[in-house]
Amino acid sequence: MIERLVRSLRQSSDSDADADSGRPLRSDGGERLNEPRSSSELRSDGGERPGGVDAAESGLGRPDETGPESESTLGSIRRSEFVQSIPFWLPGFLLVGAFVYGAIGWNFLISLTDWSGLGDPDYTNLSLDTYVQLLRDGAFHNATWNTIVLMVAFTGVSLIVGLLLAILMDREIRFGNGFRTIYLLPMSLSFVVTAIFWKWMYNASDGVINVTLEAIGLGAIAPNWLGDPRFKLWAVVIALIWQFSGYCMIVYLAALRAIPDDHYEAARVDGATTLRLYRRVIIPQLRAATMGATVVLVVFALKAFDFIYVIYGGSQPGPSADILGIMMYREAFAGTPEWAYGSAVAMVLFVLALAVIAPYAFAQYRRGDL
Amino acid sequence: MSNARPSTEETAESRFDKLNYRRIGLYGLLGAVAVLFLVPLVSGLMTSLKGGNAFATTLPFVPPSPDVATLEPWSTAFSRLGGAMINSAAVAIPATVFSALFGSMTAYGLTKIDWRGQLVVVVLLLAAVFIPYQAVLVPLRQGWTMVGLEHTLELIPVVGDALAARTGLFELIVTHTAYGIPICTVLFRSYYQKLNDEILEAARLDGAPERRVYRRIVLPLSVPMFAVTLIYQFTQIWNDFLIALVLLNSPENFVVTLELNALAGSMQSMYNVQMAGAFLAALPTLLVYIAFGEQFAKGATV
């Protein structure tokens, strides 16, 4: 996806060369414009094949490659292509439909009942009462606030750290691969594993952080990271930044490498300082990469459940580290279940995720990258 | 890498006086960050090699002295996590393969069709990549309870009972396959869009049905993308905690993330055992990452 983002970025920077750099008609039009050698030439070859490829024959190929002359029969060809493609995508799509969209729909339905989880839910008496209750719930306000703080801090800092690392790495350096391997390494670990490591890092008396603070004479300010309400959420944020800023670096590095050299040179010739060069020329061109990485990070932030659950020993981290994901699990699965209530919290979480994904998907669509 | 990028390739007059300082600063900075990134892992590793209470009395990131060095925490952790690692493998391997296969097929079906509604399917699959799992947990649990696999399997003679005891794992395989399909489809779709069409057309002109085109031509050409997808999916499924937490009830079916959490809960102050356990649980994904770092990065940047 990032690869495509990068390509479309390059395309938009060359847009004066392409007459129709707007929304391509075909979903993969973006590819075509950039790779005339590999596909469009071959396409015209196909049309001129000796023996006269008529509409029916070329209908065996991709419909968009039949050219305008076969417009009249295009409808039926498309239909047969469509029918032939069904066995390929329908099974997977049905599974996703059931497990994702069906489940979300069902979850919404459950959130409209007053089901506790015992017996069967009563689907005949639906109301928004649960949501009204939720809006009055102080624990919900608190969890929402923590979720937003976590999301913004984690996403923002990870992006900045990732960008700075990428800028440093975007040149010929020795051991470049070694550095990259180390930076990306934490991302291969599960939240559960990182939570175990960081529980030791944060240990109040023997953990690495406080031992180091003491060693440099700052023992007096060494906090009880996992016990003090002021630090509980930030302990999570720091660990998540550690885990995912390497990912941001990889995304930005790919985007930086796609920027043509002459952009740097032109700015240099104009006498731009390095700072100005990045602010005015480079960073604006990284918008697509930033957007893609932000979406991924926000979703990870909403999933931070695993980390908090493990590092705080269950679904009761206390109000200062309570996030919506934890609250949802607690309401639905821990102690006395309140499935309707848990489902309502889950819907709020889903809407939050949607609020981030929708602009991204829309931008992708406008670029013709869907 | 051959790009002329700022600051190392300065203008001629500043090159001589700035180059060395810049280089030293650059490597110093990169190295310092690398050390910061490694601290949790290194201190975890060192802690896991210290016996008794030595981990609490020595500095965490300092290697164990010979008199306290021991592999005992590792063997303790392994005796707890071994079975769970087998369960994880039993879930992750089939679910990885199935989701990659479904993803490849779905992507093939979606790159070769051209109809108005195609975009709807693609958008729905793309959005499904980013769905927070919390939004589906209650229906997931309720749905599997209603399907009642456990009792259905008990009706099968001979093997039924054994299968029924592992139903949680079967449900996990199906669930992970379903949730893996969107990302696999996206990965394969971007790959298939770049695929040279000529050879496919040639086969079609020869009268090959789509399934033969797919099996004989597209599948063999997809090997590099399968590598990326399998690595990415295996890591994701092996690392899953939340879905397993909701679907698995009996401890003998626990996957490794659940068992590691249980171990951390029952060995509160035994940090050396916890660290060894964390490394054991991470071992397969660490090995995959070290062996296939390039492909892992490719999957991660999607």
Side-chain angles (χ1 to χ4, degrees):
Chain A
M1 206 183 303
I2 294 304
E3 229 175 286
R4 265 182 295 146
L5 286 179
V6 167
R7 210 176 307 116
S8 65
L9 216 156
R10 203 186 303 149
Q11 179 189 332
S12 68
S13 65
D14 297 334
S15 62
D16 37 355
D18 294 320
D20 52 2
S21 64
R23 167 106 185 103
L25 285 169
R26 289 272 313 146
S27 59
D28 49 356
E31 311 285 338
R32 299 272 147 90
L33 293 173
N34 277 317
E35 289 171 301
R37 230 169 1 97
S38 62
S39 32
S40 11
E41 266 181 32
L42 290 171
R43 255 188 298 162
S44 52
D45 280 350
E48 291 152 19
R49 193 165 283 144
V53 181
D54 64 24
E57 257 182 328
S58 54
L60 293 162
R62 297 172 61 110
D64 60 310
E65 288 162 12
T66 55
E69 77 278 3
S70 56
E71 201 64 61
S72 55
T73 45
L74 214 55
S76 66
I77 291 160
R78 278 190 179 160
R79 206 164 303 127
S80 85
E81 275 252 325
F82 172 59
V83 169
Q84 284 186 54
S85 72
I86 287 178
F88 287 99
W89 61 266
L90 197 62
F93 185 66
L94 285 180
L95 265 177
V96 175
F99 275 83
V100 177
Y101 294 100
I104 289 172
W106 192 5
N107 187 76
F108 181 59
L109 204 59
I110 289 171
S111 76
L112 297 177
T113 67
D114 59 357
W115 191 31
S116 68
L118 297 168
D120 286 319
D122 176 13
Y123 293 121
T124 56
N125 189 17
L126 301 179
S127 74
L128 287 169
D129 286 354
T130 315
Y131 289 93
V132 175
Q133 209 183 329
L134 204 58
L135 285 176
R136 294 204 191 109
D137 187 345
F140 172 72
H141 296 168
N142 174 57
T144 309
W145 175 244
N146 285 344
T147 304
I148 292 169
V149 170
L150 172 82
M151 209 163 78
V152 172
F154 159 61
T155 307
V157 178
S158 300
L159 285 175
I160 293 168
V161 173
L163 177 62
L164 292 177
L165 283 178
I167 289 173
L168 290 180
M169 294 277 287
D170 184 30
R171 68 194 76 219
E172 267 192 70
I173 46 174
R174 253 180 250 206
F175 319 117
N177 280 338
F179 285 124
R180 209 190 61 168
T181 304
I182 292 171
Y183 299 150
L184 200 61
L185 178 65
M187 207 207 154
S188 71
L189 306 174
S190 70
F191 275 130
V192 180
V193 168
T194 38
I196 303 276
F197 281 137
W198 279 87
K199 205 170 74 179
W200 179 226
M201 291 285 290
Y202 286 132
N203 185 297
S205 53
D206 309 313
V208 174
I209 296 177
N210 285 2
V211 164
T212 311
L213 284 176
E214 271 162 42
I216 58 174
L218 293 173
I221 65 151
N224 182 1
W225 291 93
L226 301 179
D228 190 330
R230 283 174 301 162
F231 297 108
K232 283 180 104 168
L233 191 63
W234 297 108
V236 177
V237 172
I238 292 170
L240 296 192
I241 291 168
W242 170 79
Q243 197 170 2
F244 289 103
S245 45
Y247 163 78
C248 296
M249 182 209 64
I250 290 286
V251 171
Y252 276 128
L253 202 53
L256 281 174
R257 299 233 159 115
I259 297 176
D261 280 352
D262 47 14
H263 287 218
Y264 291 90
E265 280 149 26
R268 283 271 171 238
V269 170
D270 288 348
T273 61
T274 304
L275 198 67
R276 227 185 142 87
L277 170 76
Y278 275 102
R279 227 183 52 206
R280 292 288 167 79
V281 182
I282 307 302
I283 292 175
Q285 298 205 44
L286 297 176
R287 244 190 59 193
T290 306
M291 208 157 56
T294 304
V295 171
V296 172
L297 291 183
V298 165
V299 173
F300 272 120
L302 295 175
K303 278 183 185 169
F305 169 87
D306 298 11
F307 188 90
I308 295 180
Y309 186 93
V310 175
I311 204 166
Y312 291 117
S315 57
Q316 303 278 0
S320 51
D322 201 19
I323 60 166
L324 287 174
I326 291 277
M327 184 183 176
M328 184 272 155
Y329 182 86
R330 188 172 55 237
E331 295 295 343
F333 298 107
T336 24
E338 285 293 341
W339 282 31
Y341 209 61
S343 299
V345 178
M347 286 316 292
V348 174
L349 209 64
F350 171 65
V351 170
L352 265 177
L354 208 61
V356 178
I357 301 162
Y360 166 76
F362 187 64
Q364 289 267 83
Y365 174 78
R366 294 233 339 223
R367 285 172 181 282
D369 262 348
L370 277 184
Chain B
M1 288 296 260
S2 60
N3 292 346
R5 288 293 144 95
S7 78
T8 47
E9 307 287 341
E10 280 293 321
T11 46
E13 64 265 37
S14 65
R15 181 174 289 165
F16 286 106
D17 42 22
K18 277 190 182 169
L19 199 66
N20 282 331
Y21 291 113
R22 279 182 180 279
R23 281 261 130 180
I24 292 166
L26 175 69
Y27 284 107
L29 210 54
L30 289 175
V33 176
V35 168
L36 275 180
F37 270 68
L38 286 175
V39 164
L41 299 172
V42 170
S43 48
L45 185 64
M46 292 312 157
T47 303
S48 77
L49 297 172
K50 293 170 187 171
N53 243 347
F55 63 86
T57 53
T58 54
L59 289 173
F61 40 81
V62 171
S65 57
D67 53 315
V68 296
T70 170
L71 282 175
E72 209 193 304
W74 283 75
S75 66
T76 311
F78 186 75
S79 67
R80 279 287 297 268
L81 294 178
M85 288 176 81
I86 292 171
N87 286 342
S88 274
V91 170
I93 293 170
T96 299
V97 172
F98 288 139
S99 57
L101 264 179
F102 271 116
S104 154
M105 281 171 52
T106 309
Y108 180 67
L110 289 176
T111 41
K112 68 177 283 300
I113 47 171
D114 186 34
W115 49 294
R116 287 302 288 177
Q118 182 205 28
L119 194 64
V120 176
V121 177
V122 173
V123 168
L124 285 175
L125 284 171
L126 180 66
V129 173
F130 302 112
I131 296 299
Y133 284 149
Q134 258 85 5
V136 295
L137 286 184
V138 167
L140 195 62
R141 168 87 155 252
Q142 176 67 0
W144 279 120
T145 311
M146 280 167 65
V147 169
L149 206 59
E150 219 163 310
H151 302 297
T152 321
L153 283 171
E154 277 167 9
L155 299 176
I156 304 170
V158 193
V159 289
D161 276 353
L163 284 175
R166 296 289 179 183
T167 43
L169 296 184
F170 175 80
E171 290 152 10
L172 262 188
I173 293 172
V174 177
T175 308
H176 279 309
T177 302
Y179 289 131
I181 290 171
I183 182 68
C184 293
T185 305
V186 169
L187 283 166
F188 276 109
R189 193 166 169 272
S190 68
Y191 185 71
Y192 289 158
Q193 282 177 335
K194 281 179 270 179
L195 213 60
N196 190 333
D197 283 332
E198 198 188 36
I199 187 168
L200 306 188
E201 277 168 47
R204 286 176 187 140
L205 287 171
D206 286 346
E210 285 302 331
R211 68 189 144 76
R212 199 183 304 154
V213 174
Y214 175 73
R215 235 192 18 230
R216 293 286 169 79
I217 301 169
V218 177
L219 266 188
L221 286 174
S222 310
V223 169
M225 207 57 223
F226 264 103
V228 172
T229 313
L230 291 174
I231 287 163
Y232 183 79
Q233 272 302 97
F234 179 80
T235 312
Q236 292 298 305
I237 296 171
W238 184 276
N239 285 349
D240 163 70
F241 177 69
L242 182 54
I243 294 177
L245 184 66
V246 168
L247 287 187
L248 296 182
N249 292 317
S250 49
E252 74 262 25
N253 284 355
F254 271 10
V255 292
V256 73
T257 45
L258 286 189
E259 191 60 44
L260 179 61
N261 176 53
L263 176 133
S266 67
M267 298 197 165
Q268 283 287 349
S269 56
M270 302 288 285
Y271 279 99
N272 50 357
V273 179
Q274 289 190 36
M275 294 304 126
F279 273 106
L280 275 177
L283 205 58
T285 56
L286 277 176
L287 288 179
V288 163
Y289 174 68
I290 290 162
F292 307 104
E294 195 70 30
Q295 280 89 340
F296 182 88
K298 242 186 239 170
T301 45
V302 163

